[in-house]
Amino acid sequence: MTEITALFQALERGELDQTLRTLRCGGEVQAARARVTALVKGFQTAFGKGEDAQVALLSAPGRTEICGNHTDHQHGRVLAAAVNLDFLACAAPNGTNTIRFQSQGWPMVEVTLDGSGPREDEKESTPALVRGMADRIAGLGYPVAGFDAYAVSDVLPGSGLSSSAACEVLLGVILNHLFCQDALDAVTIAQIGQYAENVYFGKPSGLMDQTASSVGGAVAIDFADPAKPVVRPMQVDLNAAGYALCIIDSGADHADLTAEYAAIPQDMKGIAGWFGKEVLRQLTQADVLANLPALRKEFGDRAVLRALHFFADDQRVEAEANALEQGDFDTFLALVKESGRSSWMYLQDIVPAGAVREQAMAVALAVAETALAGRGAYRVHGGGFAGTIQVFVPLDMLDQFKAQVEPLLGEGSCHVLSIRPVGGAVVWG
C-alpha cells in the first residue's frame, strides 16, 4: 500500500515502466502510464479519496484456451495461456464490512459480508462472484473485511478470453494482498475463483480459465486431481516461430446460452455415471466403444460423441504441449486443426441446438479457413456456441488475413494478442 501521491510520482519517474511493459507484452509505455493514471483518478472519483489515500494496484489477465476444449470439468488436461488484455484495479480497505467494487462503465457493486452464503437473487451476477471470493477466503481463516476497488478492463466480454475468470482472479489477488499478506498461491486463488463461479454464480465451469489467468504464461494443466492440479509452465514465443495469435469475434451473442454450456458436462457425466464413475477421466475410450449400443440407447448420440471428443482432446493436450516445447510448430498446428474438427464434429459446441439462421461461429470458422489458404490453423475458442474463434496466422500474411476477414465479419473483429508471462499480480503497493 502506498499513497496516491507517491504512486503518481513513481509513475512519472518511470519506476513502473518495466512492470507495465511485461503485463502488456510491450506496447507504448506512455499509453500504459496514462491507463494507470486514469484508473487511479477513477478510484478517487468513485470513492471520494484524496491523494493521501493509500492504495494498491493489481492486475489479472484474460486467457486463451489452446487445446482441451471442455476437458477440464472431466478432470482432463488443458493447454492454455494468459494474454496481454487484463483487469486492472486500484483498491484499498475501507474499514467496514462492505465491499464496493466499481468496474468502469458498470453500476457500483456493493456486497455486505454477513456470512449468509450464496444468494439466489445474486445468481449469474458480479455480486455473486464478489461474495463467493470473499466468503471462501474468510472460510480459510483470513480476516477478510470491506474494501473499495475501481477497475478497468480490456478483456472483451463474451470473447472467450474469460473476462469472468479474470475478474475472479483480480478479486482473489485484491483479497490476498489486502487481508492475507499474499499468502495464497496462484493455484489456490484459481480454485477459489472456480468455487465462487460454481457455487455462488451458478455456472458449472471447470478450473482451466481461472488457472491460466492466475498462473500466467503458457501452461499445460492436468486436473486428474482438481484439488492438486499439476501445472507445467512452458516458454512459448509465437513471434519467433513466425505466427500471430488472433482471436476473431464471430458477432454471436452469449445471451441465454447457459443451458447449452451446462449440457456439455451433463452429457459427459451421464456417460461416466453409467459406468459408476464421476467423470470421464476415470474411463477410457475403449470402455465407451465397447458399450456403444447401450450408451446410445440410454443417453443418445450427442452424449456419446461428446465423450469421444473428451478422450481425443485430452490426449491431444499432451501432444501439443510436447510439440511446442520441442519447437515443432508444424505438428502443433496440425493438432490445433484436429482439436477444432473434434469440437465441431463430436463436441458440437459451434451451433446452439436448433439454430438454423444464426450460425455465426460456423461462418467465422469458414471465413478463417478461406483466408488462411491452407496455412496456419484455426479452431473454436473457449466454451463455444458464441463469441470467438482462435487462429494462428503466419506473420507474413497477417495484414492480408485481417484485410480479408474484417470486411466479412466486422471491422475490428480480429484481435492480435500476445502471451503474457505474468498471471494475477500486485503491480504496486
Side-chain angles (χ1 to χ4, degrees), residues 37-87:
T37 300
L39 169 78
V40 177
K41 290 186 179 297
F43 173 86
Q44 291 179 273
T45 299
F47 302 109
K49 301 293 184 180
E51 294 200 353
D52 59 344
Q54 293 199 335
V55 298
L57 291 179
L58 315 102
S59 168
R63 70 95 185 98
T64 183
E65 169 207 289
I66 301 172
C67 188
N69 197 209
H70 282 282
T71 54
D72 55 338
H73 50 67
Q74 297 302 298
H75 298 189
R77 289 168 285 193
V78 300
L79 179 61
V83 298
N84 58 326
L85 301 178
D86 73 341
F87 262 96

mmCIF file of all heavy atoms in Angstrom, residues 37-87:
data_model
loop_
_atom_site.group_PDB
_atom_site.id
_atom_site.type_symbol
_atom_site.label_atom_id
_atom_site.label_comp_id
_atom_site.label_asym_id
_atom_site.label_seq_id
_atom_site.Cartn_x
_atom_site.Cartn_y
_atom_site.Cartn_z
ATOM 1 N N THR A 37 -2.955 6.148 -14.613
ATOM 2 C CA THR A 37 -3.373 7.455 -14.087
ATOM 3 C C THR A 37 -4.889 7.595 -14.116
ATOM 4 O O THR A 37 -5.511 8.019 -13.130
ATOM 5 C CB THR A 37 -2.720 8.584 -14.902
ATOM 6 O OG1 THR A 37 -1.291 8.479 -14.803
ATOM 7 C CG2 THR A 37 -3.164 9.945 -14.391
ATOM 8 N N ALA A 38 -5.491 7.243 -15.251
ATOM 9 C CA ALA A 38 -6.948 7.334 -15.368
ATOM 10 C C ALA A 38 -7.641 6.396 -14.381
ATOM 11 O O ALA A 38 -8.679 6.741 -13.801
ATOM 12 C CB ALA A 38 -7.372 7.006 -16.797
ATOM 13 N N LEU A 39 -7.062 5.221 -14.188
ATOM 14 C CA LEU A 39 -7.626 4.263 -13.233
ATOM 15 C C LEU A 39 -7.646 4.838 -11.823
ATOM 16 O O LEU A 39 -8.674 4.805 -11.130
ATOM 17 C CB LEU A 39 -6.795 2.971 -13.250
ATOM 18 C CG LEU A 39 -7.096 1.974 -12.126
ATOM 19 C CD1 LEU A 39 -8.370 1.207 -12.418
ATOM 20 C CD2 LEU A 39 -5.934 1.002 -11.928
ATOM 21 N N VAL A 40 -6.516 5.375 -11.385
ATOM 22 C CA VAL A 40 -6.428 5.900 -10.016
ATOM 23 C C VAL A 40 -7.351 7.102 -9.847
ATOM 24 O O VAL A 40 -8.018 7.245 -8.801
ATOM 25 C CB VAL A 40 -4.971 6.265 -9.674
ATOM 26 C CG1 VAL A 40 -4.894 6.888 -8.275
ATOM 27 C CG2 VAL A 40 -4.084 5.026 -9.746
ATOM 28 N N LYS A 41 -7.427 7.957 -10.843
ATOM 29 C CA LYS A 41 -8.347 9.091 -10.753
ATOM 30 C C LYS A 41 -9.801 8.613 -10.721
ATOM 31 O O LYS A 41 -10.648 9.197 -10.043
ATOM 32 C CB LYS A 41 -8.117 10.044 -11.934
ATOM 33 C CG LYS A 41 -6.796 10.802 -11.847
ATOM 34 C CD LYS A 41 -6.658 11.829 -12.942
ATOM 35 C CE LYS A 41 -5.343 12.587 -12.824
ATOM 36 N NZ LYS A 41 -5.246 13.367 -11.567
ATOM 37 N N GLY A 42 -10.090 7.523 -11.439
ATOM 38 C CA GLY A 42 -11.420 6.930 -11.369
ATOM 39 C C GLY A 42 -11.726 6.430 -9.967
ATOM 40 O O GLY A 42 -12.848 6.575 -9.472
ATOM 41 N N PHE A 43 -10.720 5.831 -9.324
ATOM 42 C CA PHE A 43 -10.876 5.376 -7.935
ATOM 43 C C PHE A 43 -11.178 6.563 -7.020
ATOM 44 O O PHE A 43 -12.090 6.495 -6.171
ATOM 45 C CB PHE A 43 -9.590 4.674 -7.484
ATOM 46 C CG PHE A 43 -9.554 4.316 -6.025
ATOM 47 C CD1 PHE A 43 -10.094 3.117 -5.568
ATOM 48 C CD2 PHE A 43 -8.978 5.171 -5.098
ATOM 49 C CE1 PHE A 43 -10.063 2.791 -4.223
ATOM 50 C CE2 PHE A 43 -8.940 4.850 -3.747
ATOM 51 C CZ PHE A 43 -9.488 3.653 -3.309
ATOM 52 N N GLN A 44 -10.426 7.649 -7.185
ATOM 53 C CA GLN A 44 -10.638 8.822 -6.340
ATOM 54 C C GLN A 44 -12.047 9.386 -6.518
ATOM 55 O O GLN A 44 -12.718 9.735 -5.535
ATOM 56 C CB GLN A 44 -9.601 9.899 -6.675
ATOM 57 C CG GLN A 44 -8.177 9.546 -6.282
ATOM 58 C CD GLN A 44 -7.207 10.640 -6.659
ATOM 59 O OE1 GLN A 44 -6.691 10.674 -7.783
ATOM 60 N NE2 GLN A 44 -6.951 11.555 -5.728
ATOM 61 N N THR A 45 -12.496 9.454 -7.750
ATOM 62 C CA THR A 45 -13.827 9.990 -8.019
ATOM 63 C C THR A 45 -14.916 9.074 -7.469
ATOM 64 O O THR A 45 -15.888 9.539 -6.847
ATOM 65 C CB THR A 45 -14.029 10.168 -9.533
ATOM 66 O OG1 THR A 45 -13.054 11.093 -10.027
ATOM 67 C CG2 THR A 45 -15.421 10.706 -9.840
ATOM 68 N N ALA A 46 -14.764 7.784 -7.678
ATOM 69 C CA ALA A 46 -15.801 6.833 -7.262
ATOM 70 C C ALA A 46 -15.966 6.790 -5.758
ATOM 71 O O ALA A 46 -17.093 6.631 -5.252
ATOM 72 C CB ALA A 46 -15.467 5.444 -7.798
ATOM 73 N N PHE A 47 -14.853 6.941 -5.036
ATOM 74 C CA PHE A 47 -14.922 6.735 -3.588
ATOM 75 C C PHE A 47 -14.556 7.978 -2.784
ATOM 76 O O PHE A 47 -14.437 7.916 -1.560
ATOM 77 C CB PHE A 47 -14.001 5.565 -3.189
ATOM 78 C CG PHE A 47 -14.355 4.289 -3.900
ATOM 79 C CD1 PHE A 47 -13.523 3.768 -4.883
ATOM 80 C CD2 PHE A 47 -15.539 3.618 -3.614
ATOM 81 C CE1 PHE A 47 -13.851 2.601 -5.553
ATOM 82 C CE2 PHE A 47 -15.876 2.451 -4.283
ATOM 83 C CZ PHE A 47 -15.040 1.932 -5.253
ATOM 84 N N GLY A 48 -14.413 9.120 -3.466
ATOM 85 C CA GLY A 48 -14.166 10.370 -2.766
ATOM 86 C C GLY A 48 -12.855 10.405 -2.004
ATOM 87 O O GLY A 48 -12.798 10.906 -0.875
ATOM 88 N N LYS A 49 -11.787 9.919 -2.611
ATOM 89 C CA LYS A 49 -10.494 9.831 -1.936
ATOM 90 C C LYS A 49 -9.549 10.923 -2.431
ATOM 91 O O LYS A 49 -9.535 11.273 -3.613
ATOM 92 C CB LYS A 49 -9.849 8.474 -2.182
ATOM 93 C CG LYS A 49 -10.686 7.293 -1.708
ATOM 94 C CD LYS A 49 -10.822 7.270 -0.192
ATOM 95 C CE LYS A 49 -11.567 6.024 0.266
ATOM 96 N NZ LYS A 49 -11.706 5.991 1.744
ATOM 97 N N GLY A 50 -8.723 11.433 -1.509
ATOM 98 C CA GLY A 50 -7.703 12.405 -1.865
ATOM 99 C C GLY A 50 -6.396 11.710 -2.198
ATOM 100 O O GLY A 50 -6.281 10.482 -2.134
ATOM 101 N N GLU A 51 -5.367 12.507 -2.502
ATOM 102 C CA GLU A 51 -4.095 11.924 -2.917
ATOM 103 C C GLU A 51 -3.283 11.401 -1.744
ATOM 104 O O GLU A 51 -2.209 10.811 -1.947
ATOM 105 C CB GLU A 51 -3.288 12.943 -3.733
ATOM 106 C CG GLU A 51 -3.963 13.278 -5.059
ATOM 107 C CD GLU A 51 -3.026 13.877 -6.080
ATOM 108 O OE1 GLU A 51 -1.863 14.161 -5.735
ATOM 109 O OE2 GLU A 51 -3.459 14.063 -7.233
ATOM 110 N N ASP A 52 -3.793 11.571 -0.526
ATOM 111 C CA ASP A 52 -3.117 10.975 0.630
ATOM 112 C C ASP A 52 -3.635 9.569 0.928
ATOM 113 O O ASP A 52 -3.124 8.878 1.812
ATOM 114 C CB ASP A 52 -3.288 11.862 1.865
ATOM 115 C CG ASP A 52 -4.757 12.077 2.237
ATOM 116 O OD1 ASP A 52 -5.637 11.804 1.382
ATOM 117 O OD2 ASP A 52 -5.019 12.514 3.374
ATOM 118 N N ALA A 53 -4.640 9.117 0.187
ATOM 119 C CA ALA A 53 -5.185 7.778 0.399
ATOM 120 C C ALA A 53 -4.152 6.730 -0.001
ATOM 121 O O ALA A 53 -3.428 6.894 -0.974
ATOM 122 C CB ALA A 53 -6.457 7.589 -0.424
ATOM 123 N N GLN A 54 -4.082 5.647 0.774
ATOM 124 C CA GLN A 54 -3.161 4.560 0.471
ATOM 125 C C GLN A 54 -3.870 3.495 -0.352
ATOM 126 O O GLN A 54 -4.967 3.051 0.005
ATOM 127 C CB GLN A 54 -2.596 3.949 1.759
ATOM 128 C CG GLN A 54 -1.699 4.906 2.529
ATOM 129 C CD GLN A 54 -0.795 4.180 3.504
ATOM 130 O OE1 GLN A 54 -1.106 3.086 3.960
ATOM 131 N NE2 GLN A 54 0.334 4.795 3.820
ATOM 132 N N VAL A 55 -3.235 3.087 -1.448
ATOM 133 C CA VAL A 55 -3.875 2.173 -2.389
ATOM 134 C C VAL A 55 -2.869 1.141 -2.891
ATOM 135 O O VAL A 55 -1.658 1.270 -2.689
ATOM 136 C CB VAL A 55 -4.466 2.929 -3.596
ATOM 137 C CG1 VAL A 55 -5.544 3.901 -3.152
ATOM 138 C CG2 VAL A 55 -3.365 3.657 -4.367
ATOM 139 N N ALA A 56 -3.400 0.130 -3.559
ATOM 140 C CA ALA A 56 -2.582 -0.848 -4.268
ATOM 141 C C ALA A 56 -3.101 -0.978 -5.691
ATOM 142 O O ALA A 56 -4.298 -0.773 -5.949
ATOM 143 C CB ALA A 56 -2.628 -2.197 -3.558
ATOM 144 N N LEU A 57 -2.208 -1.296 -6.611
ATOM 145 C CA LEU A 57 -2.583 -1.591 -7.996
ATOM 146 C C LEU A 57 -2.448 -3.085 -8.225
ATOM 147 O O LEU A 57 -1.436 -3.691 -7.843
ATOM 148 C CB LEU A 57 -1.666 -0.864 -8.979
ATOM 149 C CG LEU A 57 -1.759 0.656 -9.086
ATOM 150 C CD1 LEU A 57 -0.741 1.138 -10.113
ATOM 151 C CD2 LEU A 57 -3.154 1.078 -9.472
ATOM 152 N N LEU A 58 -3.452 -3.677 -8.872
ATOM 153 C CA LEU A 58 -3.462 -5.123 -9.067
ATOM 154 C C LEU A 58 -4.000 -5.449 -10.453
ATOM 155 O O LEU A 58 -4.807 -4.699 -11.012
ATOM 156 C CB LEU A 58 -4.312 -5.796 -7.974
ATOM 157 C CG LEU A 58 -4.028 -5.257 -6.561
ATOM 158 C CD1 LEU A 58 -5.118 -4.288 -6.137
ATOM 159 C CD2 LEU A 58 -3.822 -6.352 -5.562
ATOM 160 N N SER A 59 -3.574 -6.581 -11.002
ATOM 161 C CA SER A 59 -3.938 -6.940 -12.363
ATOM 162 C C SER A 59 -4.206 -8.435 -12.472
ATOM 163 O O SER A 59 -3.583 -9.244 -11.780
ATOM 164 C CB SER A 59 -2.801 -6.545 -13.320
ATOM 165 O OG SER A 59 -2.981 -7.102 -14.607
ATOM 166 N N ALA A 60 -5.130 -8.787 -13.365
ATOM 167 C CA ALA A 60 -5.386 -10.194 -13.692
ATOM 168 C C ALA A 60 -5.699 -10.294 -15.177
ATOM 169 O O ALA A 60 -6.552 -9.557 -15.681
ATOM 170 C CB ALA A 60 -6.538 -10.753 -12.861
ATOM 171 N N PRO A 61 -5.028 -11.199 -15.913
ATOM 172 C CA PRO A 61 -5.186 -11.253 -17.358
ATOM 173 C C PRO A 61 -6.339 -12.128 -17.818
ATOM 174 O O PRO A 61 -6.803 -13.023 -17.092
ATOM 175 C CB PRO A 61 -3.857 -11.870 -17.814
ATOM 176 C CG PRO A 61 -3.492 -12.790 -16.693
ATOM 177 C CD PRO A 61 -3.957 -12.096 -15.436
ATOM 178 N N GLY A 62 -6.770 -11.885 -19.047
ATOM 179 C CA GLY A 62 -7.631 -12.834 -19.716
ATOM 180 C C GLY A 62 -6.815 -14.051 -20.099
ATOM 181 O O GLY A 62 -5.597 -14.098 -19.888
ATOM 182 N N ARG A 63 -7.470 -15.031 -20.671
ATOM 183 C CA ARG A 63 -6.749 -16.244 -21.043
ATOM 184 C C ARG A 63 -7.233 -16.759 -22.400
ATOM 185 O O ARG A 63 -8.349 -16.473 -22.826
ATOM 186 C CB ARG A 63 -6.924 -17.325 -19.986
ATOM 187 C CG ARG A 63 -8.330 -17.935 -19.910
ATOM 188 C CD ARG A 63 -8.435 -19.206 -20.731
ATOM 189 N NE ARG A 63 -9.790 -19.743 -20.770
ATOM 190 C CZ ARG A 63 -10.646 -19.544 -21.753
ATOM 191 N NH1 ARG A 63 -10.336 -18.741 -22.744
ATOM 192 N NH2 ARG A 63 -11.841 -20.100 -21.753
ATOM 193 N N THR A 64 -6.385 -17.495 -23.041
ATOM 194 C CA THR A 64 -6.770 -18.166 -24.270
ATOM 195 C C THR A 64 -6.594 -19.669 -24.087
ATOM 196 O O THR A 64 -5.562 -20.118 -23.587
ATOM 197 C CB THR A 64 -5.946 -17.662 -25.479
ATOM 198 O OG1 THR A 64 -6.409 -18.305 -26.661
ATOM 199 C CG2 THR A 64 -4.460 -17.895 -25.310
ATOM 200 N N GLU A 65 -7.610 -20.422 -24.452
ATOM 201 C CA GLU A 65 -7.517 -21.887 -24.425
ATOM 202 C C GLU A 65 -6.896 -22.333 -25.748
ATOM 203 O O GLU A 65 -7.367 -21.957 -26.818
ATOM 204 C CB GLU A 65 -8.906 -22.486 -24.285
ATOM 205 C CG GLU A 65 -8.969 -23.992 -24.509
ATOM 206 C CD GLU A 65 -10.337 -24.420 -24.994
ATOM 207 O OE1 GLU A 65 -11.275 -24.379 -24.194
ATOM 208 O OE2 GLU A 65 -10.455 -24.772 -26.193
ATOM 209 N N ILE A 66 -5.849 -23.121 -25.681
ATOM 210 C CA ILE A 66 -5.160 -23.576 -26.889
ATOM 211 C C ILE A 66 -5.561 -25.001 -27.257
ATOM 212 O O ILE A 66 -5.708 -25.345 -28.420
ATOM 213 C CB ILE A 66 -3.630 -23.453 -26.715
ATOM 214 C CG1 ILE A 66 -3.259 -21.986 -26.429
ATOM 215 C CG2 ILE A 66 -2.891 -23.963 -27.939
ATOM 216 C CD1 ILE A 66 -1.816 -21.772 -26.056
ATOM 217 N N CYS A 67 -5.758 -25.847 -26.261
ATOM 218 C CA CYS A 67 -6.251 -27.202 -26.505
ATOM 219 C C CYS A 67 -6.899 -27.712 -25.216
ATOM 220 O O CYS A 67 -6.580 -27.258 -24.118
ATOM 221 C CB CYS A 67 -5.122 -28.136 -26.924
ATOM 222 S SG CYS A 67 -5.691 -29.778 -27.477
ATOM 223 N N GLY A 68 -7.817 -28.660 -25.391
ATOM 224 C CA GLY A 68 -8.557 -29.183 -24.248
ATOM 225 C C GLY A 68 -9.889 -28.477 -24.138
ATOM 226 O O GLY A 68 -10.190 -27.830 -23.144
ATOM 227 N N ASN A 69 -10.697 -28.584 -25.200
ATOM 228 C CA ASN A 69 -11.994 -27.915 -25.228
ATOM 229 C C ASN A 69 -13.006 -28.720 -24.413
ATOM 230 O O ASN A 69 -13.371 -29.840 -24.786
ATOM 231 C CB ASN A 69 -12.452 -27.760 -26.679
ATOM 232 C CG ASN A 69 -13.560 -26.750 -26.869
ATOM 233 O OD1 ASN A 69 -14.366 -26.879 -27.777
ATOM 234 N ND2 ASN A 69 -13.620 -25.731 -26.040
ATOM 235 N N HIS A 70 -13.420 -28.155 -23.291
ATOM 236 C CA HIS A 70 -14.355 -28.813 -22.368
ATOM 237 C C HIS A 70 -13.798 -30.134 -21.839
ATOM 238 O O HIS A 70 -14.512 -31.132 -21.726
ATOM 239 C CB HIS A 70 -15.708 -29.038 -23.044
ATOM 240 C CG HIS A 70 -16.554 -27.804 -23.125
ATOM 241 N ND1 HIS A 70 -17.272 -27.313 -22.059
ATOM 242 C CD2 HIS A 70 -16.764 -26.940 -24.147
ATOM 243 C CE1 HIS A 70 -17.909 -26.216 -22.417
ATOM 244 N NE2 HIS A 70 -17.605 -25.957 -23.684
ATOM 245 N N THR A 71 -12.520 -30.133 -21.478
ATOM 246 C CA THR A 71 -11.929 -31.308 -20.842
ATOM 247 C C THR A 71 -11.708 -31.112 -19.349
ATOM 248 O O THR A 71 -11.652 -32.087 -18.600
ATOM 249 C CB THR A 71 -10.573 -31.650 -21.491
ATOM 250 O OG1 THR A 71 -9.742 -30.486 -21.456
ATOM 251 C CG2 THR A 71 -10.752 -32.107 -22.932
ATOM 252 N N ASP A 72 -11.579 -29.853 -18.909
ATOM 253 C CA ASP A 72 -11.202 -29.610 -17.513
ATOM 254 C C ASP A 72 -12.248 -30.091 -16.528
ATOM 255 O O ASP A 72 -11.925 -30.639 -15.468
ATOM 256 C CB ASP A 72 -10.866 -28.136 -17.276
ATOM 257 C CG ASP A 72 -11.968 -27.175 -17.679
ATOM 258 O OD1 ASP A 72 -12.821 -27.546 -18.508
ATOM 259 O OD2 ASP A 72 -11.984 -26.047 -17.162
ATOM 260 N N HIS A 73 -13.541 -29.919 -16.869
ATOM 261 C CA HIS A 73 -14.576 -30.315 -15.906
ATOM 262 C C HIS A 73 -14.710 -31.833 -15.799
ATOM 263 O O HIS A 73 -15.425 -32.334 -14.924
ATOM 264 C CB HIS A 73 -15.925 -29.658 -16.228
ATOM 265 C CG HIS A 73 -16.377 -29.793 -17.646
ATOM 266 N ND1 HIS A 73 -16.721 -30.988 -18.214
ATOM 267 C CD2 HIS A 73 -16.528 -28.848 -18.622
ATOM 268 C CE1 HIS A 73 -17.092 -30.794 -19.467
ATOM 269 N NE2 HIS A 73 -16.970 -29.494 -19.748
ATOM 270 N N GLN A 74 -14.016 -32.561 -16.680
ATOM 271 C CA GLN A 74 -13.971 -34.021 -16.586
ATOM 272 C C GLN A 74 -12.624 -34.505 -16.033
ATOM 273 O O GLN A 74 -12.236 -35.650 -16.217
ATOM 274 C CB GLN A 74 -14.223 -34.635 -17.962
ATOM 275 C CG GLN A 74 -15.596 -34.326 -18.522
ATOM 276 C CD GLN A 74 -16.700 -34.797 -17.606
ATOM 277 O OE1 GLN A 74 -16.833 -35.991 -17.339
ATOM 278 N NE2 GLN A 74 -17.504 -33.859 -17.099
ATOM 279 N N HIS A 75 -11.938 -33.606 -15.327
ATOM 280 C CA HIS A 75 -10.637 -33.877 -14.706
ATOM 281 C C HIS A 75 -9.576 -34.207 -15.759
ATOM 282 O O HIS A 75 -8.646 -34.982 -15.503
ATOM 283 C CB HIS A 75 -10.728 -35.008 -13.664
ATOM 284 C CG HIS A 75 -11.625 -34.706 -12.520
ATOM 285 N ND1 HIS A 75 -11.712 -35.498 -11.396
ATOM 286 C CD2 HIS A 75 -12.516 -33.688 -12.302
ATOM 287 C CE1 HIS A 75 -12.603 -34.991 -10.542
ATOM 288 N NE2 HIS A 75 -13.099 -33.890 -11.087
ATOM 289 N N GLY A 76 -9.733 -33.616 -16.945
ATOM 290 C CA GLY A 76 -8.795 -33.859 -18.027
ATOM 291 C C GLY A 76 -7.661 -32.863 -18.052
ATOM 292 O O GLY A 76 -7.381 -32.162 -17.077
ATOM 293 N N ARG A 77 -7.007 -32.806 -19.195
ATOM 294 C CA ARG A 77 -5.851 -31.936 -19.385
ATOM 295 C C ARG A 77 -6.214 -30.779 -20.313
ATOM 296 O O ARG A 77 -7.070 -30.935 -21.190
ATOM 297 C CB ARG A 77 -4.681 -32.733 -19.962
ATOM 298 C CG ARG A 77 -4.082 -33.705 -18.962
ATOM 299 C CD ARG A 77 -3.126 -34.681 -19.613
ATOM 300 N NE ARG A 77 -3.822 -35.711 -20.364
ATOM 301 C CZ ARG A 77 -3.246 -36.827 -20.820
ATOM 302 N NH1 ARG A 77 -1.955 -37.024 -20.597
ATOM 303 N NH2 ARG A 77 -3.946 -37.709 -21.497
ATOM 304 N N VAL A 78 -5.544 -29.654 -20.128
ATOM 305 C CA VAL A 78 -5.762 -28.482 -20.972
ATOM 306 C C VAL A 78 -4.428 -27.808 -21.247
ATOM 307 O O VAL A 78 -3.466 -27.956 -20.482
ATOM 308 C CB VAL A 78 -6.724 -27.459 -20.332
ATOM 309 C CG1 VAL A 78 -8.087 -28.056 -20.070
ATOM 310 C CG2 VAL A 78 -6.136 -26.900 -19.050
ATOM 311 N N LEU A 79 -4.397 -27.079 -22.328
ATOM 312 C CA LEU A 79 -3.263 -26.225 -22.673
ATOM 313 C C LEU A 79 -3.827 -24.827 -22.853
ATOM 314 O O LEU A 79 -4.751 -24.623 -23.651
ATOM 315 C CB LEU A 79 -2.604 -26.719 -23.960
ATOM 316 C CG LEU A 79 -1.404 -25.941 -24.494
ATOM 317 C CD1 LEU A 79 -0.266 -25.945 -23.487
ATOM 318 C CD2 LEU A 79 -0.930 -26.548 -25.820
ATOM 319 N N ALA A 80 -3.315 -23.875 -22.098
ATOM 320 C CA ALA A 80 -3.876 -22.527 -22.110
ATOM 321 C C ALA A 80 -2.776 -21.509 -21.864
ATOM 322 O O ALA A 80 -1.643 -21.861 -21.528
ATOM 323 C CB ALA A 80 -4.975 -22.396 -21.053
ATOM 324 N N ALA A 81 -3.121 -20.235 -22.018
ATOM 325 C CA ALA A 81 -2.136 -19.181 -21.804
ATOM 326 C C ALA A 81 -2.828 -17.895 -21.388
ATOM 327 O O ALA A 81 -3.945 -17.603 -21.822
ATOM 328 C CB ALA A 81 -1.318 -18.944 -23.071
ATOM 329 N N ALA A 82 -2.149 -17.134 -20.545
ATOM 330 C CA ALA A 82 -2.602 -15.781 -20.225
ATOM 331 C C ALA A 82 -2.309 -14.874 -21.418
ATOM 332 O O ALA A 82 -1.361 -15.116 -22.173
ATOM 333 C CB ALA A 82 -1.884 -15.262 -18.980
ATOM 334 N N VAL A 83 -3.120 -13.843 -21.602
ATOM 335 C CA VAL A 83 -2.920 -12.913 -22.716
ATOM 336 C C VAL A 83 -2.743 -11.492 -22.195
ATOM 337 O O VAL A 83 -2.976 -11.205 -21.019
ATOM 338 C CB VAL A 83 -4.094 -12.966 -23.721
ATOM 339 C CG1 VAL A 83 -4.200 -14.349 -24.346
ATOM 340 C CG2 VAL A 83 -5.408 -12.561 -23.060
ATOM 341 N N ASN A 84 -2.334 -10.608 -23.091
ATOM 342 C CA ASN A 84 -1.984 -9.238 -22.709
ATOM 343 C C ASN A 84 -3.186 -8.290 -22.701
ATOM 344 O O ASN A 84 -3.064 -7.105 -23.018
ATOM 345 C CB ASN A 84 -0.897 -8.686 -23.633
ATOM 346 C CG ASN A 84 -1.306 -8.697 -25.096
ATOM 347 O OD1 ASN A 84 -2.015 -9.586 -25.549
ATOM 348 N ND2 ASN A 84 -0.857 -7.695 -25.846
ATOM 349 N N LEU A 85 -4.345 -8.799 -22.332
ATOM 350 C CA LEU A 85 -5.516 -7.994 -22.007
ATOM 351 C C LEU A 85 -5.866 -8.320 -20.566
ATOM 352 O O LEU A 85 -5.826 -9.489 -20.170
ATOM 353 C CB LEU A 85 -6.692 -8.323 -22.929
ATOM 354 C CG LEU A 85 -6.459 -8.131 -24.438
ATOM 355 C CD1 LEU A 85 -7.701 -8.554 -25.214
ATOM 356 C CD2 LEU A 85 -6.097 -6.687 -24.760
ATOM 357 N N ASP A 86 -6.228 -7.312 -19.774
ATOM 358 C CA ASP A 86 -6.403 -7.603 -18.353
ATOM 359 C C ASP A 86 -7.460 -6.739 -17.683
ATOM 360 O O ASP A 86 -7.968 -5.766 -18.241
ATOM 361 C CB ASP A 86 -5.077 -7.428 -17.609
ATOM 362 C CG ASP A 86 -4.656 -5.961 -17.448
ATOM 363 O OD1 ASP A 86 -5.166 -5.087 -18.197
ATOM 364 O OD2 ASP A 86 -3.811 -5.680 -16.578
ATOM 365 N N PHE A 87 -7.808 -7.150 -16.461
ATOM 366 C CA PHE A 87 -8.493 -6.311 -15.493
ATOM 367 C C PHE A 87 -7.405 -5.653 -14.656
ATOM 368 O O PHE A 87 -6.519 -6.337 -14.121
ATOM 369 C CB PHE A 87 -9.370 -7.159 -14.559
ATOM 370 C CG PHE A 87 -10.821 -7.208 -14.933
ATOM 371 C CD1 PHE A 87 -11.320 -8.262 -15.680
ATOM 372 C CD2 PHE A 87 -11.697 -6.221 -14.518
ATOM 373 C CE1 PHE A 87 -12.656 -8.323 -16.013
ATOM 374 C CE2 PHE A 87 -13.043 -6.271 -14.834
ATOM 375 C CZ PHE A 87 -13.520 -7.332 -15.592
#
